[in-house]
Amino acid sequence: MSSFLELENSSPNIFIPEEWSEAAESIVFDSPTSPPPVVLICGAKNCGKSTFSRHLLNVFLRRYKKVVYLDSDVGQPEFTPPGFLSLTVVDRLIPDLSTPCLKTPERCFFFGDISSKRDPKAYLSYANTLYDYYHKEYNSFNKTEELAKIELPLIVNTPGWVKGIGYEILVDMLKYIAPSHVVKINISAESKNLPAGEFWLEEEENYGTTSLIEIRSARQDEFNRSILVQKDTSLMRDLRIMAYFRQCFPRDCNITTIKELANALASHPPYQVPISSIKIRHLHCQVPSDQIFYSLNATIVGLATCSNNSENSSWCVGLGIVRGIDTFKGLLYVITPVPHGTLEKVDLLLQGFIQIPSCLLQVKGCISPYMCANILPTS
Amino acid sequence: MSSRIGFPLSFHSSQSPASSSQPPVFLLQLRRFSIDPPYPPPPAVISATPTSDRVSPTLLTTVCCSSTVATSCYSTPLQTETHGARRRNILRHRNHELHILNSSVDNFGLIQQDLTAKLGKRLWVSMDSLLGFEEVPGENEEENLSTYSRKLVPWSTWNEWLFVSQSLFSDSPDSVAAALSRISTWRSKGCLPVVIEVTASIIEIQQKDPYFIKNQSMDASVRGTENQLNLVSLSEEALAMLYCMAIMRLVNGVVEKTRKKTEVSIAVAADAIGLPRLLIDIRHEGSHRELPALQMVRHASAKALCWLKSYYWEPQEKAIPFQGDISTSIRKEIKSKLRGLAFNLEMKQNPQLESAVVKPKRLKTKTGKTLKVLIQLYSTFSSEFVSVLLEFLLKAMRSSDLAFPKNSKKSSSSVLDGWKLTVAKISNKEPELLLDLLEAVLEKIKTQVALEYESQYFLPSDHKMESCQVAQLSSLFAWLVDKLNGIKLKRKGEVFSGKHIPKGVLMELLRKCLLVSAPWNKRLLDSATNLAQLLDDDSLVKKLNKLFFVNAPISSIPDEENPNHSASEDSFNQAESLREASRKLETIKLRKRKNNLASNPVDGNVGGSSRWTVVSSWTPCPIGMLPRSIGCSGRPSVLDLNPENEPTSEELRSKEKCELNNSSQKREASSDIHHLDNSIVKKMKDTNDKSQLETEDVESPEGIKGRLLIGGIWKNVGEEELSAIQSAVRILI
């Protein structure tokens, strides 16, 4: 096949199949600008959703100055470290289609796990709230009121979990967002695909508001790669998290290896924050109230702001590593690349199951106590 | 050997003249070009080279990890591949990941492309050399292996694990509850071994089973009835369901880990690890057929616990290193190795001895080996190492002092020289040892001084001997500071001197040094000046000089070196110096008050609008620990939610001690403070009842905030009053 997309090679020469570019161009150029198109991309794992989204984003930028990107793939998000649902305004081309890059989202939620299965309800409410935000800010139809606002197109990327509960979540999202375009990417293994047609519609519902575009995965001739990708993802997640915390240091800082990064993080002066002024919440787990610190020490947390209205929706500003807890002084020590001005609003730490990459804990001569030797191999 | 203090190191490679203006596209192609080496290097290239220091064990580990992952991934579909081809795949795989890290780093926010070029290329270069296996150090292999076998766990010490293990299987419901609650905390960290999780579930279910509660209530009748009241509601059916689920999770969780190939049946795999057949059957029955009876699963739960104990808990406990007698055995090891090194070095010093016993070449290799072992010991057990070494040093000093009394100081003993040489040798490799030693010496002086006050109080005759030790310690300190000053290392092509030690560390050291130094301890004060010079801070040196000037008249008070002053001269001098001191203190007090007005809360900056503040000085320490003032081994943090009760009083005590240390002479301070009583401090009526209590017994920490224990009574003191007391205490000296 000429349009062969080789992912395991880091080369940036991704060939966008003709089918793909046609689909992208028809979405971008054959749609009205007001209201702007809302495109949702779905399909099974590893079918190329993210690559297509990136390509579509670049095509959109030919017509619009900015594009909004709603990322609901908490396992492998586009612009954030894992565990986030985010809404990002993108105004420059993505140079390399093969890899995700970090950007500061306009709004994001810390879901705290790499799959929506841990808490589908919260997941959906985050996704919907982000969409509401987009709708209010960038897709308002009441032009007389808000002249200053510019309408922008939206790309919604979804996770590749399209069976069972994952399917139900996707249908719920589709119903709520009601996109103008749905791009469905099919792979050769029929059984893994989403149902044919406009699967999210109940019978007798009105057609026509959404145009469905079905394309084929560029990688359909590959076989047996699913194992590789699964192994890949956990490593990639670690690398994403490391890349995120690399931002704690100036760009010209001489950090070239993972080891140097780990070293730098261990020596980096952290933020200190009084325990009394911070709330701590575990997103998916009950922690005995007298043992919060046992749970919190040396973990990655989402830095959020307590919202007054509801428990569930606290906007998040980024990730932090709780690198130490001094109960005598009543201080938490947190490493984060979030700038101080933004950080000042943070009064809630959200603990989830996003694990700190173990290579960040093993600095030579500075090995974290949580990296334990002499563990039975059986455990 | 990389530095642990974070000395500025730079990656040095002839291949990385990163030009910052390189366009990223070009770079990418360049990178891609090198991704696929036409011929993968044969594995035989693995060899040790002198430049081996460069390779990071962590990175190596990652490479190892990813290559094993990759190998295992590829091995199924590509089994027919040649070795070389597979290696190529591994390389590709690895490169892909790095590329991701690169671009993720670089593309953030408002990127600057030049960074992409720089960082990407540098990373690439380092990877290239790694993947070429040119620099794999032979000597580090062991170390790599050990880092490799490390695993992320939810407990921070083996003691924590032991506490859980012991309470979990204890008879007391309270202990069991504590263990269960800790395990649920561990679960929230997400890296809990499945065997622990399942053990906890089974025990938790048993706690809800009236059958087990009845047995318990025989032991603890009161609690048992209490529990029974809470748990009546669970039906037998529901209970059986719970047991069944736990057992299913046990079988699946444990067997899945050990069953590598799917072709082996669960029963076979379970048999291989000795899992009772009964549990397999229950899993099968429970998932596909009728729910097994409660009696059955209850019995099975007991069996499961037995098996878990024998499979995980007991062997794991045995595998814990240095249990119980950890420090003694380690100390022994360190001692013998240190002795060995000192002996070897001495031999080298005296060639006439040396040739008789061993050949010089062999001696050299032997020395090198011992040194290597010692450095490893130091990096893992730094505190033990330092204390053992310090003991040796002091012992040597004492013996040399005994052998050669004070007037013939010049002929110092060769034993001491040997030890000094040892320190020098080790610190050449691990400069941080000097810092650790310095800190240990200060700590020792501090306790020694405190002891001295005590002994002075009761046994005046001991005084001389004790202060003699302080003098020894001080001279040792001075020597170490000298050593620190002169340190010069060649590391990664860069010369590396004392100036490269982080300022914060030196500052802290200086602070501590000033804190413990008595005003007449000339040697210690001189070392302090030396430290300040090392800091390269002129204003600091000036400040110190001013400080010493304040001290100067006091230091003319006779010390232990010339105790035979006439009494009258003595008292005259003292009176004079006291007057002088009081004058100076007044001015300082005035200035201090002015400064305080100008800049309010200096310390802590908790208050005010900013909730998040960057810690002003930070010593590197492992993530999950708190920094020590010097060195980067870190100290564990106390994570219990309400630690105030005991520790606060302890903290307070140490603060008091500190304050008294500042005022150098405890006896006068404590007796004369009564005079201040009426004039400055108002008595607190509501604390009168507390006055009976000893400091140690203070239980409500909020009650003593802002108060000072004066003459056994807690008094409310303000900032002003405190400084008044402080200066008054000074004057009384």
Side-chain angles (χ1 to χ4, degrees):
Chain A
M1 255 192 100
S2 61
S3 56
F4 181 71
L5 175 68
E6 203 176 53
L7 261 185
E8 88 272 25
N9 191 330
S10 74
S11 69
N13 59 343
I14 284 181
F15 294 106
I16 299 296
E18 219 167 284
E19 193 186 23
W20 282 30
S21 42
E22 272 171 18
E25 297 204 354
S26 81
I27 292 168
V28 173
F29 296 105
D30 303 345
S31 60
T33 48
S34 178
V38 172
V39 189
L40 186 141
I41 294 136
C42 56
K45 280 186 192 97
N46 201 27
C47 68
K49 289 183 300 299
S50 297
T51 312
F52 183 79
S53 310
R54 281 171 215 144
H55 175 66
L56 182 64
L57 191 72
N58 281 352
V59 178
F60 259 129
L61 284 172
R62 284 198 251 149
R63 190 173 183 189
Y64 299 85
K65 275 201 173 140
K66 292 175 184 172
V67 182
V68 186
Y69 193 98
L70 198 167
D71 200 339
S72 63
D73 188 356
V74 284
Q76 299 152 58
E78 190 65 30
F79 301 122
T80 61
F84 280 101
L85 284 98
S86 63
L87 192 78
T88 312
V89 179
V90 185
D91 59 356
R92 54 174 73 201
L93 292 173
I94 296 172
D96 181 0
L97 288 180
S98 65
T99 53
C101 56
L102 287 171
K103 284 184 193 298
T104 308
E106 176 149 330
R107 283 287 183 272
C108 67
F109 285 112
F110 184 57
F111 177 71
D113 204 355
I114 51 167
S115 160
S116 54
K117 73 182 169 200
R118 187 80 67 173
D119 191 350
K121 210 179 140 210
Y123 174 84
L124 257 178
S125 95
Y126 292 157
N128 293 347
T129 315
L130 285 173
Y131 178 71
D132 288 344
Y133 178 86
Y134 159 77
H135 196 79
K136 194 171 142 256
E137 296 290 319
Y138 300 108
N139 197 336
S140 78
F141 301 101
N142 196 350
K143 278 201 179 146
T144 47
E145 265 178 40
E146 301 168 69
L147 273 171
K149 282 180 185 168
I150 318 155
E151 292 180 322
L152 298 177
L154 175 72
I155 299 172
V156 183
N157 193 21
T158 58
W161 187 28
V162 294
K163 296 289 163 190
I165 304 169
Y167 175 73
E168 284 167 32
I169 294 171
L170 183 63
V171 168
D172 282 348
M173 258 172 74
L174 272 161
K175 279 182 180 165
Y176 190 86
I177 294 174
S180 63
H181 299 78
V182 171
V183 178
K184 196 166 84 184
I185 306 177
N186 294 320
I187 57 173
S188 50
E190 234 10 275
S191 62
K192 288 185 177 169
N193 279 335
L194 282 159
E198 286 159 314
F199 57 89
W200 62 95
L201 293 175
E202 312 272 328
E203 272 175 66
E204 303 302 319
E205 245 179 298
N206 60 329
Y207 289 69
T209 50
T210 302
S211 55
L212 173 69
I213 299 157
E214 296 203 38
I215 53 175
R216 288 181 308 158
S217 159
R219 310 182 61 223
Q220 52 192 306
D221 282 346
E222 295 268 68
F223 68 100
N224 217 355
R225 290 292 180 185
S226 54
I227 314 161
L228 168 72
V229 169
Q230 289 236 303
K231 294 282 184 186
D232 220 355
T233 47
S234 80
L235 236 151
M236 265 165 66
R237 270 194 285 275
D238 277 4
L239 286 168
R240 297 279 286 160
I241 290 171
M242 285 188 267
Y244 180 79
F245 284 103
R246 167 67 179 78
Q247 299 170 105
C248 293
F249 308 98
R251 280 180 295 246
D252 53 352
C253 194
N254 186 26
I255 294 173
T256 55
T257 59
I258 294 170
K259 185 209 167 196
E260 276 171 11
L261 176 64
N263 223 325
L265 281 175
S267 3
H268 187 55
Y271 284 99
Q272 62 176 38
V273 61
I275 293 170
S276 55
S277 68
I278 289 283
K279 276 190 203 163
I280 297 151
R281 189 191 300 158
H282 202 294
L283 290 165
H284 305 295
C285 206
Q286 236 183 335
V287 181
S289 59
D290 58 333
Q291 303 198 9
I292 302 167
F293 300 138
Y294 280 96
S295 168
L296 194 65
N297 198 17
T299 57
I300 285 184
V301 290
L303 306 169
T305 316
C306 270
S307 60
N308 302 325
N309 38 10
S310 86
E311 269 266 306
N312 277 331
S313 56
S314 354
W315 296 119
C316 200
V317 297
L319 284 184
I321 298 173
V322 179
R323 63 104 62 242
I325 302 172
D326 194 329
T327 44
F328 294 131
K329 288 186 191 159
L331 290 174
L332 293 176
Y333 296 106
V334 180
I335 302 174
T336 175
V338 175
H340 187 255
T342 322
L343 202 55
E344 207 40 58
K345 282 175 260 161
V346 171
D347 54 0
L348 177 66
L349 300 187
L350 298 173
Q351 202 184 347
F353 284 112
I354 301 299
Q355 251 179 35
I356 185 167
S358 51
C359 37
L360 290 187
L361 297 177
Q362 333 192 32
V363 184
K364 200 188 150 223
C366 223
I367 291 173
S368 171
Y370 294 98
M371 289 310 297
C372 209
N374 307 91
I375 295 280
L376 280 197
T378 51
S379 57
Chain B
M1 285 322 110
S2 93
S3 87
R4 299 196 287 141
I5 333 172
F7 293 97
L9 305 173
S10 71
F11 190 87
H12 213 81
S13 171
S14 55
Q15 299 168 60
S16 63
S19 70
S20 52
S21 57
Q22 213 151 37
V25 182
F26 174 62
L27 170 84
L28 289 172
Q29 285 185 340
L30 203 150
R31 219 187 275 163
R32 195 148 49 84
F33 179 71
S34 38
I35 279 165
D36 289 323
Y39 303 103
V45 188
I46 300 175
S47 67
T49 62
T51 50
S52 58
D53 279 356
R54 257 179 240 164
V55 182
S56 76
T58 324
L59 201 57
L60 265 180
T61 313
T62 332
V63 174
C64 289
C65 285
S66 72
S67 6
T68 37
V69 166
T71 320
S72 60
C73 297
Y74 279 106
S75 59
T76 334
L78 306 168
Q79 256 162 358
T80 49
E81 261 186 337
T82 59
H83 180 73
R86 197 181 306 154
R87 181 161 300 279
R88 212 165 23 237
N89 266 321
I90 294 165
L91 293 181
R92 260 197 224 136
H93 183 81
R94 179 68 205 161
N95 287 325
H96 179 52
E97 284 146 18
L98 270 164
H99 181 70
I100 290 163
L101 175 64
N102 274 356
S103 52
S104 318
V105 169
D106 300 341
N107 287 337
F108 172 70
L110 306 161
I111 31 156
Q112 280 180 349
Q113 301 290 12
D114 61 335
L115 173 79
T116 317
K118 207 166 154 190
L119 186 74
K121 199 159 175 195
R122 280 180 162 237
L123 230 168
W124 172 242
V125 167
S126 69
M127 280 319 295
D128 199 29
S129 54
L130 263 178
L131 292 171
F133 292 111
E134 287 167 321
E135 296 185 297
V136 177
E139 50 174 306
N140 276 0
E141 239 148 56
E142 221 174 309
E143 207 174 295
N144 288 335
L145 216 66
S146 72
T147 23
Y148 180 65
S149 63
R150 279 180 191 274
K151 216 172 147 187
L152 184 63
V153 293
W155 55 88
S156 61
T157 58
W158 278 114
N159 279 340
E160 196 179 336
W161 184 92
L162 280 169
F163 154 74
V164 165
S165 156
Q166 277 150 16
S167 342
L168 200 55
F169 299 107
S170 88
D171 292 329
S172 137
D174 281 340
S175 303
V176 176
L180 287 177
S181 128
R182 179 58 53 85
I183 290 174
S184 78
T185 310
W186 286 353
R187 197 177 283 135
S188 74
K189 299 195 93 170
C191 47
L192 186 64
V194 69
V195 273
I196 296 184
E197 195 186 328
V198 178
T199 312
S201 325
I202 293 175
I203 286 175
E204 198 171 346
I205 297 163
Q206 284 187 349
Q207 299 267 304
K208 295 201 178 351
D209 188 347
Y211 173 81
F212 287 103
I213 294 168
K214 234 182 262 162
N215 285 357
Q216 263 178 22
S217 64
M218 306 278 264
D219 308 327
S221 54
V222 186
R223 197 158 286 280
T225 49
E226 201 178 282
N227 271 353
Q228 259 170 330
L229 281 177
N230 289 339
L231 301 168
V232 170
S233 53
L234 266 186
S235 71
E236 284 206 353
E237 174 91 325
L239 206 50
M241 191 82 89
L242 286 176
Y243 276 127
C244 207
M245 190 67 194
I247 288 163
M248 279 161 69
R249 285 186 59 74
L250 163 68
V251 174
N252 291 340
V254 174
V255 169
E256 239 155 60
K257 277 247 157 114
T258 55
R259 192 167 61 142
K260 275 170 196 116
K261 286 169 202 149
T262 33
E263 53 258 35
V264 181
S265 80
I266 287 188
V268 172
D271 204 42
I273 52 170
L275 193 68
R277 181 66 204 225
L278 174 66
L279 302 177
I280 314 287
D281 292 346
I282 284 174
R283 172 193 169 269
H284 185 77
E285 293 280 314
S287 28
H288 305 301
R289 288 155 197 259
E290 257 179 77
L291 188 68
L294 178 60
Q295 280 80 2
M296 171 98 135
V297 286
R298 186 183 282 149
H299 170 66
S301 78
K303 270 204 140 173
L305 280 184
C306 266
W307 180 81
L308 280 165
K309 266 196 225 173
S310 70
Y311 180 72
Y312 172 68
W313 293 96
E314 282 161 6
Q316 177 64 81
E317 187 171 339
K318 281 193 195 113
I320 299 174
F322 309 117
Q323 221 191 310
D325 240 7
I326 161 165
S327 55
T328 21
S329 57
I330 276 303
R331 273 171 165 266
K332 236 180 220 164
E333 172 77 7
I334 295 170
K335 257 183 197 167
S336 76
K337 287 283 181 257
L338 273 175
R339 265 203 210 104
L341 183 65
F343 178 73
N344 283 346
L345 290 174
E346 213 173 308
M347 296 277 268
K348 245 192 203 165
Q349 290 285 300
N350 309 316
Q352 71 276 14
L353 270 173
E354 174 203 315
S355 51
V357 190
V358 262
K359 284 178 184 160
K361 213 173 187 183
R362 237 185 104 198
L363 188 69
K364 202 173 178 188
T365 52
K366 209 176 155 199
T367 314
K369 237 183 213 166
T370 324
L371 194 59
K372 219 173 272 169
V373 174
L374 276 171
I375 281 160
Q376 257 174 13
L377 278 171
Y378 171 65
S379 68
T380 11
F381 306 97
S382 58
S383 61
E384 281 89 358
F385 190 95
V386 168
S387 88
V388 169
L389 186 55
L390 190 59
E391 248 168 54
F392 274 131
L393 280 168
L394 285 175
K395 217 166 156 190
M397 287 186 102
R398 224 171 296 144
S399 66
S400 75
D401 269 11
L402 283 180
F404 310 92
K406 260 168 205 154
N407 40 16
S408 63
K409 233 174 191 168
K410 273 168 194 167
S411 56
S412 62
S413 87
S414 64
V415 186
L416 183 57
D417 278 352
W419 282 112
K420 284 188 172 173
L421 202 62
T422 311
V423 172
K425 204 87 186 167
I426 302 173
S427 61
N428 270 344
K429 293 266 182 192
E430 274 288 347
E432 211 192 320
L433 176 69
L434 290 177
L435 293 174
D436 276 349
L437 269 176
L438 281 169
E439 192 189 21
V441 169
L442 286 179
E443 212 42 54
K444 199 113 194 178
I445 293 178
K446 196 169 149 190
T447 50
Q448 208 55 250
V449 167
L451 258 176
E452 205 177 305
Y453 291 137
E454 298 292 322
S455 57
Q456 197 184 1
Y457 208 41
F458 300 110
L459 312 154
S461 58
D462 273 2
H463 171 51
K464 216 170 135 189
M465 205 197 88
E466 295 293 351
S467 56
C468 179
Q469 195 159 9
V470 172
Q472 279 172 357
L473 283 164
S474 311
S475 77
L476 182 61
F477 189 84
W479 179 77
L480 285 168
V481 169
D482 257 13
K483 204 84 207 131
L484 195 66
N485 220 338
I487 205 167
K488 263 213 180 100
L489 281 182
K490 269 207 172 166
R491 176 166 296 174
K492 317 214 168 157
E494 258 188 36
V495 180
F496 184 80
S497 70
K499 293 242 154 81
H500 286 147
I501 301 165
K503 296 235 146 93
V505 176
L506 286 179
M507 224 28 181
E508 185 60 30
L509 203 58
L510 178 60
R511 197 183 67 82
K512 274 204 163 167
C513 175
L514 289 175
L515 217 62
V516 299
S517 67
W520 59 78
N521 196 335
K522 190 83 169 39
R523 223 176 256 139
L524 214 49
L525 294 178
D526 284 349
S527 315
T529 321
N530 269 348
L531 274 175
Q533 271 156 0
L534 195 59
L535 266 166
D536 214 11
D537 186 344
D538 288 337
S539 71
L540 191 70
V541 176
K542 270 182 204 154
K543 272 186 206 161
L544 275 180
N545 283 338
K546 264 185 204 164
L547 182 71
F548 300 152
F549 167 69
V550 170
N551 275 330
I554 301 174
S555 64
S556 70
I557 292 176
D559 62 354
E560 80 279 354
E561 301 226 341
N562 44 350
N564 304 324
H565 262 272
S566 69
S568 62
E569 198 185 328
D570 219 45
S571 61
F572 173 76
N573 273 347
Q574 279 195 13
E576 189 61 26
S577 67
L578 277 177
R579 231 164 296 148
E580 178 84 351
S582 80
R583 220 168 342 106
K584 279 170 183 165
L585 267 164
E586 273 311 307
T587 52
I588 289 171
K589 225 167 79 184
L590 213 91
R591 202 169 292 169
K592 195 181 160 198
R593 209 171 300 156
K594 258 188 208 158
N595 281 347
N596 271 357
L597 280 177
S599 64
N600 35 351
V602 188
D603 156 67
N605 31 9
V606 170
S609 58
S610 100
R611 179 163 35 199
W612 294 78
T613 45
V614 176
V615 179
S616 49
S617 79
W618 185 261
T619 351
C621 73
I623 286 174
M625 289 182 123
L626 293 170
R628 289 195 307 165
S629 41
I630 305 169
C632 65
S633 47
R635 61 191 162 93
S637 42
V638 179
L639 295 172
D640 293 303
L641 193 59
N642 294 314
E644 291 99 337
N645 293 348
E646 257 284 314
T648 313
S649 62
E650 188 131 337
E651 199 183 28
L652 192 88
R653 243 180 295 157
S654 70
K655 249 188 206 160
E656 268 183 358
K657 217 169 161 188
C658 219
E659 216 141 291
L660 290 170
N661 274 347
N662 271 341
S663 59
S664 344
Q665 298 257 338
K666 189 180 182 182
R667 187 175 46 173
E668 282 89 342
S670 56
S671 58
D672 288 308
I673 214 153
H674 285 289
H675 300 296
L676 302 163
D677 217 333
N678 302 324
S679 56
I680 304 164
V681 187
K682 283 173 276 173
K683 277 195 182 179
M684 289 294 301
K685 273 179 191 160
D686 57 340
T687 52
N688 272 351
D689 47 345
K690 278 214 179 88
S691 64
Q692 320 307 339
L693 299 171
E694 298 264 337
T695 332
E696 284 83 353
D697 296 327
V698 173
E699 262 168 338
S700 59
E702 66 278 1
I704 50 170
K705 213 171 184 181
R707 291 171 204 183
L708 196 61
L709 184 69
I710 297 167
I713 299 169
W714 288 102
K715 308 270 161 65
N716 216 13
V717 278
E719 190 76 23
E720 288 271 296
E721 289 159 330
L722 259 180
S723 70
I725 294 172
Q726 240 171 347
S727 56
V729 167
R730 272 276 168 158
I731 291 165
L732 285 165
I733 300 161

